Amino acid sequence: MNEPGVEAFEQLVARLNYPMFVVTTAAGDVTAGCLVGFASQTSIHPPRFLVGLSRRNHTFRVAADATHLAVHVFEREHLDVVELFGGQTGDAVNKFDRCSWHRGPERLPILDDAAAWFAGKILDRFSLGDHVGHLLEPVAGRPPHDLEQWVTFGDVRDLRPGHEA
Ligand SMILES: Cc1cc2nc3c(=O)[nH]c(=O)nc-3n(C[C@H](O)[C@H](O)[C@H](O)COP(=O)(O)O)c2cc1C
């Protein structure tokens, strides 16, 4: 049985409706990407953002050989792309055959249906538990125009992840 604090924590985080991101990366010709909820700005000056990648994911393994990550935000009308990146694993399918994308800064795969994105240089990696934190310095990006209905945890909480966490 869980500690009381763990139960309270789990009930709280199950209800939080935080934004969801699709994080992509590339190492040589290999592209990868997955849905990420464990992500947050961590500093204003200098600007910093932390992305937690599960050690089990294909994206984590490709990111180990990468220098940059791209962080995308999606409007709900493109939930299909978000579900593709969260519900399938690059170990079994090529997600990039199933969506529209182009090579952006640092040859990162940029998803064309995203409402906004930024590219970040990986400054540091450290263990967060079963996820590994990737600390990013933003180096390029496209800001949103009228971002209103962006995809949040509530939109994907019933999605079965492509990889066990
Ligand atoms: C609601 C939700 C949140 C998720 N959050 C994360 C996350 O923060 N970090 C992560 O690495 N994977 C997260 N995942 C899991 C991956 O997106 C999923 O297992 C994906 O299929 C892995 O793809 P890959 O093996 O191609 O990297 C989440 C999945 C869902 C459904």
Side-chain angles (χ1 to χ4, degrees):
M1 192 158 124
N2 281 340
E3 296 292 319
V6 173
E7 264 179 39
F9 169 77
E10 288 182 348
Q11 287 184 29
L12 171 61
V13 295
R15 281 167 178 73
L16 291 178
N17 201 16
Y18 46 84
M20 297 297 301
F21 305 92
V22 175
V23 174
T24 62
T25 193
D29 288 336
V30 182
T31 53
C34 69
L35 179 62
V36 166
F38 296 168
S40 176
Q41 182 172 358
T42 60
S43 169
I44 304 168
H45 303 296
R48 295 287 184 265
F49 193 87
L50 186 68
V51 170
L53 292 178
S54 166
R55 296 173 197 276
R56 299 199 176 189
N57 288 355
H58 176 251
T59 306
F60 167 73
R61 278 175 264 127
V62 176
D65 294 324
T67 56
H68 293 74
L69 302 180
V71 179
H72 304 77
V73 175
F74 279 82
E75 295 275 12
R76 276 201 200 119
E77 63 176 304
H78 294 297
L79 195 56
D80 55 333
V81 182
V82 174
E83 290 177 347
L84 168 67
F85 277 86
Q88 303 289 334
T89 173
D91 287 335
V93 302
N94 187 342
K95 300 179 209 184
F96 296 88
D97 284 345
R98 303 183 183 191
C99 66
S100 177
W101 63 283
H102 65 276
R103 292 275 185 179
E106 307 295 335
R107 303 198 74 239
L108 284 165
I110 301 301
L111 303 175
D112 294 335
D113 290 329
W117 58 270
F118 72 88
K121 181 180 180 194
I122 303 171
L123 296 181
D124 204 357
R125 297 172 169 89
F126 37 85
S127 177
L128 302 176
D130 55 12
H131 285 57
V132 173
H134 294 67
L135 186 65
L136 302 183
E137 172 189 11
V139 293
R142 198 191 70 203
H145 290 298
D146 298 314
L147 189 60
E148 283 174 12
Q149 300 281 313
W150 63 87
V151 176
T152 64
F153 179 60
D155 298 313
V156 288
R157 61 156 49 92
D158 294 331
L159 184 66
R160 189 189 155 99
H163 243 292
E164 293 296 317

PDB file of all heavy atoms in Angstrom, residues 112-127:
ATOM      1  N   ASP A 112       4.875  20.112 -39.047  1.00  0.00           N
ATOM      2  CA  ASP A 112       4.232  21.229 -39.754  1.00  0.00           C
ATOM      3  C   ASP A 112       2.893  21.633 -39.147  1.00  0.00           C
ATOM      4  O   ASP A 112       2.455  22.771 -39.327  1.00  0.00           O
ATOM      5  CB  ASP A 112       4.048  20.863 -41.235  1.00  0.00           C
ATOM      6  CG  ASP A 112       5.384  20.716 -41.948  1.00  0.00           C
ATOM      7  OD1 ASP A 112       6.372  21.326 -41.495  1.00  0.00           O
ATOM      8  OD2 ASP A 112       5.445  19.975 -42.955  1.00  0.00           O
ATOM      9  N   ASP A 113       2.205  20.726 -38.478  1.00  0.00           N
ATOM     10  CA  ASP A 113       0.885  21.048 -37.914  1.00  0.00           C
ATOM     11  C   ASP A 113       0.972  21.710 -36.540  1.00  0.00           C
ATOM     12  O   ASP A 113      -0.067  22.075 -35.968  1.00  0.00           O
ATOM     13  CB  ASP A 113       0.026  19.780 -37.798  1.00  0.00           C
ATOM     14  CG  ASP A 113      -0.402  19.275 -39.168  1.00  0.00           C
ATOM     15  OD1 ASP A 113      -0.564  20.111 -40.078  1.00  0.00           O
ATOM     16  OD2 ASP A 113      -0.559  18.051 -39.330  1.00  0.00           O
ATOM     17  N   ALA A 114       2.161  21.885 -36.001  1.00  0.00           N
ATOM     18  CA  ALA A 114       2.291  22.497 -34.667  1.00  0.00           C
ATOM     19  C   ALA A 114       1.865  23.964 -34.710  1.00  0.00           C
ATOM     20  O   ALA A 114       2.104  24.669 -35.692  1.00  0.00           O
ATOM     21  CB  ALA A 114       3.730  22.382 -34.177  1.00  0.00           C
ATOM     22  N   ALA A 115       1.262  24.421 -33.622  1.00  0.00           N
ATOM     23  CA  ALA A 115       0.873  25.830 -33.518  1.00  0.00           C
ATOM     24  C   ALA A 115       2.076  26.701 -33.197  1.00  0.00           C
ATOM     25  O   ALA A 115       2.108  27.882 -33.541  1.00  0.00           O
ATOM     26  CB  ALA A 115      -0.184  25.981 -32.426  1.00  0.00           C
ATOM     27  N   ALA A 116       3.052  26.131 -32.520  1.00  0.00           N
ATOM     28  CA  ALA A 116       4.261  26.849 -32.128  1.00  0.00           C
ATOM     29  C   ALA A 116       5.315  25.822 -31.755  1.00  0.00           C
ATOM     30  O   ALA A 116       4.983  24.677 -31.408  1.00  0.00           O
ATOM     31  CB  ALA A 116       3.988  27.772 -30.948  1.00  0.00           C
ATOM     32  N   TRP A 117       6.569  26.238 -31.822  1.00  0.00           N
ATOM     33  CA  TRP A 117       7.659  25.333 -31.422  1.00  0.00           C
ATOM     34  C   TRP A 117       8.898  26.144 -31.093  1.00  0.00           C
ATOM     35  O   TRP A 117       9.013  27.308 -31.486  1.00  0.00           O
ATOM     36  CB  TRP A 117       7.973  24.321 -32.526  1.00  0.00           C
ATOM     37  CG  TRP A 117       8.369  24.934 -33.843  1.00  0.00           C
ATOM     38  CD1 TRP A 117       7.521  25.269 -34.862  1.00  0.00           C
ATOM     39  CD2 TRP A 117       9.693  25.321 -34.271  1.00  0.00           C
ATOM     40  NE1 TRP A 117       8.242  25.847 -35.898  1.00  0.00           N
ATOM     41  CE2 TRP A 117       9.565  25.885 -35.558  1.00  0.00           C
ATOM     42  CE3 TRP A 117      10.961  25.244 -33.688  1.00  0.00           C
ATOM     43  CZ2 TRP A 117      10.675  26.361 -36.276  1.00  0.00           C
ATOM     44  CZ3 TRP A 117      12.067  25.727 -34.399  1.00  0.00           C
ATOM     45  CH2 TRP A 117      11.904  26.268 -35.676  1.00  0.00           C
ATOM     46  N   PHE A 118       9.788  25.534 -30.342  1.00  0.00           N
ATOM     47  CA  PHE A 118      11.132  26.101 -30.204  1.00  0.00           C
ATOM     48  C   PHE A 118      12.155  24.978 -30.217  1.00  0.00           C
ATOM     49  O   PHE A 118      11.848  23.828 -29.865  1.00  0.00           O
ATOM     50  CB  PHE A 118      11.272  26.984 -28.957  1.00  0.00           C
ATOM     51  CG  PHE A 118      11.298  26.241 -27.646  1.00  0.00           C
ATOM     52  CD1 PHE A 118      12.511  25.774 -27.116  1.00  0.00           C
ATOM     53  CD2 PHE A 118      10.137  26.012 -26.943  1.00  0.00           C
ATOM     54  CE1 PHE A 118      12.553  25.097 -25.909  1.00  0.00           C
ATOM     55  CE2 PHE A 118      10.158  25.325 -25.727  1.00  0.00           C
ATOM     56  CZ  PHE A 118      11.369  24.867 -25.212  1.00  0.00           C
ATOM     57  N   ALA A 119      13.346  25.326 -30.665  1.00  0.00           N
ATOM     58  CA  ALA A 119      14.463  24.383 -30.664  1.00  0.00           C
ATOM     59  C   ALA A 119      15.358  24.738 -29.493  1.00  0.00           C
ATOM     60  O   ALA A 119      15.621  25.923 -29.235  1.00  0.00           O
ATOM     61  CB  ALA A 119      15.235  24.480 -31.975  1.00  0.00           C
ATOM     62  N   GLY A 120      15.809  23.726 -28.758  1.00  0.00           N
ATOM     63  CA  GLY A 120      16.662  23.978 -27.612  1.00  0.00           C
ATOM     64  C   GLY A 120      17.937  23.148 -27.668  1.00  0.00           C
ATOM     65  O   GLY A 120      17.910  21.970 -28.029  1.00  0.00           O
ATOM     66  N   LYS A 121      19.036  23.811 -27.311  1.00  0.00           N
ATOM     67  CA  LYS A 121      20.310  23.095 -27.190  1.00  0.00           C
ATOM     68  C   LYS A 121      20.326  22.358 -25.851  1.00  0.00           C
ATOM     69  O   LYS A 121      19.973  22.941 -24.809  1.00  0.00           O
ATOM     70  CB  LYS A 121      21.460  24.098 -27.250  1.00  0.00           C
ATOM     71  CG  LYS A 121      22.818  23.451 -27.168  1.00  0.00           C
ATOM     72  CD  LYS A 121      23.911  24.494 -27.238  1.00  0.00           C
ATOM     73  CE  LYS A 121      25.259  23.800 -27.151  1.00  0.00           C
ATOM     74  NZ  LYS A 121      26.333  24.737 -26.879  1.00  0.00           N
ATOM     75  N   ILE A 122      20.731  21.093 -25.871  1.00  0.00           N
ATOM     76  CA  ILE A 122      20.783  20.315 -24.632  1.00  0.00           C
ATOM     77  C   ILE A 122      22.040  20.731 -23.862  1.00  0.00           C
ATOM     78  O   ILE A 122      23.162  20.449 -24.283  1.00  0.00           O
ATOM     79  CB  ILE A 122      20.805  18.798 -24.913  1.00  0.00           C
ATOM     80  CG1 ILE A 122      19.593  18.389 -25.747  1.00  0.00           C
ATOM     81  CG2 ILE A 122      20.845  18.008 -23.594  1.00  0.00           C
ATOM     82  CD1 ILE A 122      19.636  16.949 -26.273  1.00  0.00           C
ATOM     83  N   LEU A 123      21.811  21.418 -22.725  1.00  0.00           N
ATOM     84  CA  LEU A 123      22.947  21.895 -21.912  1.00  0.00           C
ATOM     85  C   LEU A 123      23.385  20.860 -20.898  1.00  0.00           C
ATOM     86  O   LEU A 123      24.553  20.812 -20.495  1.00  0.00           O
ATOM     87  CB  LEU A 123      22.554  23.161 -21.150  1.00  0.00           C
ATOM     88  CG  LEU A 123      22.210  24.396 -21.966  1.00  0.00           C
ATOM     89  CD1 LEU A 123      21.877  25.541 -21.017  1.00  0.00           C
ATOM     90  CD2 LEU A 123      23.352  24.766 -22.899  1.00  0.00           C
ATOM     91  N   ASP A 124      22.420  20.070 -20.426  1.00  0.00           N
ATOM     92  CA  ASP A 124      22.721  19.134 -19.345  1.00  0.00           C
ATOM     93  C   ASP A 124      21.686  18.019 -19.338  1.00  0.00           C
ATOM     94  O   ASP A 124      20.574  18.187 -19.863  1.00  0.00           O
ATOM     95  CB  ASP A 124      22.679  19.885 -17.997  1.00  0.00           C
ATOM     96  CG  ASP A 124      23.500  19.210 -16.925  1.00  0.00           C
ATOM     97  OD1 ASP A 124      24.059  18.128 -17.189  1.00  0.00           O
ATOM     98  OD2 ASP A 124      23.593  19.767 -15.813  1.00  0.00           O
ATOM     99  N   ARG A 125      22.059  16.884 -18.775  1.00  0.00           N
ATOM    100  CA  ARG A 125      21.155  15.751 -18.603  1.00  0.00           C
ATOM    101  C   ARG A 125      21.350  15.239 -17.184  1.00  0.00           C
ATOM    102  O   ARG A 125      22.480  15.081 -16.747  1.00  0.00           O
ATOM    103  CB  ARG A 125      21.489  14.617 -19.579  1.00  0.00           C
ATOM    104  CG  ARG A 125      21.340  14.948 -21.051  1.00  0.00           C
ATOM    105  CD  ARG A 125      21.890  13.789 -21.866  1.00  0.00           C
ATOM    106  NE  ARG A 125      21.582  13.878 -23.280  1.00  0.00           N
ATOM    107  CZ  ARG A 125      22.328  14.485 -24.184  1.00  0.00           C
ATOM    108  NH1 ARG A 125      23.459  15.084 -23.818  1.00  0.00           N
ATOM    109  NH2 ARG A 125      21.979  14.509 -25.463  1.00  0.00           N
ATOM    110  N   PHE A 126      20.227  14.985 -16.491  1.00  0.00           N
ATOM    111  CA  PHE A 126      20.359  14.425 -15.143  1.00  0.00           C
ATOM    112  C   PHE A 126      19.148  13.577 -14.800  1.00  0.00           C
ATOM    113  O   PHE A 126      18.051  13.783 -15.330  1.00  0.00           O
ATOM    114  CB  PHE A 126      20.584  15.518 -14.087  1.00  0.00           C
ATOM    115  CG  PHE A 126      19.827  16.780 -14.341  1.00  0.00           C
ATOM    116  CD1 PHE A 126      18.519  16.923 -13.922  1.00  0.00           C
ATOM    117  CD2 PHE A 126      20.433  17.828 -15.025  1.00  0.00           C
ATOM    118  CE1 PHE A 126      17.824  18.089 -14.169  1.00  0.00           C
ATOM    119  CE2 PHE A 126      19.740  19.002 -15.274  1.00  0.00           C
ATOM    120  CZ  PHE A 126      18.428  19.130 -14.845  1.00  0.00           C
ATOM    121  N   SER A 127      19.383  12.628 -13.914  1.00  0.00           N
ATOM    122  CA  SER A 127      18.316  11.697 -13.554  1.00  0.00           C
ATOM    123  C   SER A 127      17.233  12.409 -12.774  1.00  0.00           C
ATOM    124  O   SER A 127      17.498  13.182 -11.846  1.00  0.00           O
ATOM    125  CB  SER A 127      18.885  10.552 -12.712  1.00  0.00           C
ATOM    126  OG  SER A 127      17.816   9.705 -12.308  1.00  0.00           O
TER     127      SER A 127
END
